[in-house]
């Protein structure tokens, strides 16, 4: 089995440092200056380890350096370098990760160079998926989720799920949508995804995240009803870290506060304690006082942690006194019985969530719903 691998080494840089994305050299440089740690390479390596455990005969064709070779070497899989990226400048979207500078043009060139593989793996987020789409790949593809935004349907649930999906690939494919947000508008609070096209992916619905969907099916006032329940349950002297999402914004409105539309804000005793926090700041707060996380569910995907809220890192989750999950009944029903998902980047932290969690669905309304690691039950 011959598998192609492309890694966007700057994918996901902006998440933990509250930049809402990683597109563009200025944002990437700013993220690195704020202490962001590249994680795409290790997530790609995790996918390759899961693949080789199931298909020892796999051969990886990849791109030199941080665009794939480093991950293949770390995973211990046989590989060949099939492409070496040209030097790119900051004006073409490049950013330094300490090892090399790469940009969107390098991703597109790599897709063209890896056209003769059985399946093409790429590690990144929605911006990387757009670059792959623009290059019109010949083989089927599959995304290893490594970006801040992972709203497209071409991604596996987790790195382990990506490896398992590739190992079981039998040639059957399905179309998956590629969507992305305007990050500048995203940072200004203007939320809206655009459909760019479709990619052929393995027909393995249970291991793919699916496209993010909105909450238009929810009756008017649903978010406000949930918000009233959350506010009524807030304890004096306790801090609450409100993750991104329309439902958590409604909690802010119920408190009379204007929250960061796509950030994490911390409130206490009805007042804003810390706006738009980074992972580092949130960890410091959680270590110094009793803090609960308040998290909404991503429609259509079911993710609670690991998609757009990377501030809730494994160490932050360990420091929290508890987590409150919010979702409308319609959003839960749309999951069709599939569990809520956690993909923090640490399998041990994710495994701690494998239980039933109480989900607030309205004022004086809640249900018990299963929440699981995005990597569990991969046989």
């Amino acid at each position: 089995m011959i598998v192609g691998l492309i890694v966007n080494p700057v994918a996901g840089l902006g998440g933990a440092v509250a930049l809402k994305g990683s597109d563009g050299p200025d944002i990437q440089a700013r993220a690195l200056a704020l202490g962001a740690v590249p994680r795409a390479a290790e997530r790609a390596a995790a996918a390759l380890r899961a693949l080789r455990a199931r298909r020892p005969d796999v051969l990886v064709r990849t791109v030199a350096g941080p665009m794939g070779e480093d991950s293949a070497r770390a995973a211990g899989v046989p590989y060949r370098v099939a492409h070496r990226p040209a030097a790119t400048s900051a004006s073409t979207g490049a950013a330094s990760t300490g090892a090399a500078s790469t940009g969107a043009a390098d991703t597109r060139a790599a897709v063209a160079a890896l056209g003769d593989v059985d399946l093409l793996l790429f590690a990144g987020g929605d911006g990387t998926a757009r670059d792959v789409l623009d290059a019109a790949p010949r083989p089927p593809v599959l995304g290893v989720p490594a970006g801040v935004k992972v709203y497209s349907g071409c991604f596996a649930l987790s790195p382990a799920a990506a490896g398992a999906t590739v190992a079981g690939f039998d040639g059957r494919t399905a179309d998956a949508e590629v969507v992305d947000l305007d990050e500048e508008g995203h940072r200004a609070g203007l939320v809206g995804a655009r459909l760019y096209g479709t990619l052929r992916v393995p027909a393995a619905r249970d291991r793919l995240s699916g496209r993010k969907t909105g909450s238009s099916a929810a009756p008017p006032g649903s978010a406000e009803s949930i918000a009233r329940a959350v506010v009524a349950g807030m304890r004096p002297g306790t801090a609450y870290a409100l993750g991104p999402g329309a439902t958590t914004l409604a909690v802010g409105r119920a408190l009379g506060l204007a929250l960061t539309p796509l950030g994490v804000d911390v409130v206490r005793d009805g007042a804003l304690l810390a706006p738009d926090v980074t992972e580092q700041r949130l960890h410091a707060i959680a270590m110094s006082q009793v803090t609960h996380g308040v998290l909404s569910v991503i429609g259509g995907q079911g993710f609670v942690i690991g998609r757009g809220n990377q501030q809730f890192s494994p160490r932050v989750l360990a420091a929290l006194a508890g987590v409150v999950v919010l979702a409308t009944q319609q959003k839960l029903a749309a999951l069709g019985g599939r569990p809520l998902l956690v993909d923090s980047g640490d399998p041990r932290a994710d495994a701690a969530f494998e239980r039933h969690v109480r989900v607030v669905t309205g004022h004086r309304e809640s249900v018990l719903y299963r929440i699981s690691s995005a990597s569990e039950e991969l046989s």
Side-chain angles (χ1 to χ4, degrees), residues 122-140:
F122 68 92
D126 291 326
T128 312
R130 283 180 58 187
D131 294 335
V132 172
L133 175 67
D134 289 344
R138 291 194 296 275

Side-chain angles (χ1 to χ4, degrees), residues 35-55:
V37 177
R39 305 228 179 260
E42 70 178 53
R43 288 176 73 82
L48 293 180
R49 292 187 193 99
L51 167 58
R52 195 184 186 199
R54 295 163 174 80
R55 288 293 301 264

Side-chain angles (χ1 to χ4, degrees), residues 128-152:
T128 312
R130 283 180 58 187
D131 294 335
V132 172
L133 175 67
D134 289 344
R138 291 194 296 275
V141 305
L142 181 63
V144 179
V148 178
K149 317 178 304 298
V150 188
Y151 294 160
S152 299

Side-chain angles (χ1 to χ4, degrees), residues 138-195:
R138 291 194 296 275
V141 305
L142 181 63
V144 179
V148 178
K149 317 178 304 298
V150 188
Y151 294 160
S152 299
C154 55
F155 289 94
L157 291 173
S158 67
T165 301
V166 176
F169 180 52
D170 59 5
R172 292 181 299 160
T173 63
D175 288 339
E177 295 176 326
V178 175
V179 300
D180 199 7
L181 303 179
D182 174 1
E183 286 196 359
E184 289 302 318
H186 196 57
R187 294 182 187 98
L190 303 175
V191 186
R194 174 183 169 188
L195 173 63

Side-chain angles (χ1 to χ4, degrees), residues 215 218-228 247 250 253 328 330 361-363:
S215 305
S222 297
E224 286 69 22
S225 177
I226 293 172
R228 289 197 302 272
T247 311
R253 290 195 298 271
T328 64
Q330 291 73 21
T361 58
H363 188 51

Side-chain angles (χ1 to χ4, degrees), residues 224-365:
E224 286 69 22
S225 177
I226 293 172
R228 289 197 302 272
V230 173
V231 171
M234 287 182 168
R235 301 171 183 171
T238 298
Y240 293 86
L242 304 175
T247 311
T248 47
L249 281 178
V251 175
R253 290 195 298 271
L255 291 168
L257 303 173
L259 302 183
T260 309
L262 296 157
V264 176
D265 299 293
V266 182
V267 302
R268 185 182 63 196
D269 295 329
L272 190 59
L273 177 65
D276 202 12
V277 295
T278 64
E279 184 274 346
Q280 185 176 13
R281 175 68 172 133
L282 182 55
H283 181 254
I285 291 172
M287 291 295 291
S288 64
Q289 59 189 289
V290 177
T291 305
H292 291 260
V294 181
L295 301 168
S296 62
V297 175
I298 294 182
Q301 296 185 337
F303 277 95
V304 176
I305 292 168
R307 299 295 183 268
N309 59 5
Q310 284 85 358
Q311 295 92 326
F312 290 93
S313 67
R315 68 171 186 167
V316 167
L317 295 174
L320 292 176
V323 171
V324 181
V325 179
L326 317 179
T328 64
Q329 294 178 1
Q330 291 73 21
K331 189 176 284 186
L332 293 180
L335 293 176
R338 289 178 287 124
L340 302 178
L341 297 170
V342 179
D343 181 20
S344 71
D346 183 338
R348 291 171 298 180
D350 295 348
F353 280 87
E354 291 178 9
R355 52 185 169 83
H356 280 76
V357 64
R358 187 165 295 281
V359 181
V360 179
T361 58
H363 188 51
R364 297 180 180 175
E365 294 179 356

Side-chain angles (χ1 to χ4, degrees), residues 105-123:
D106 295 293
T107 298
R108 293 191 289 266
V111 172
L114 296 173
D116 59 348
V117 298
D118 296 317
L119 189 143
L120 178 61
L121 268 178
F122 68 92

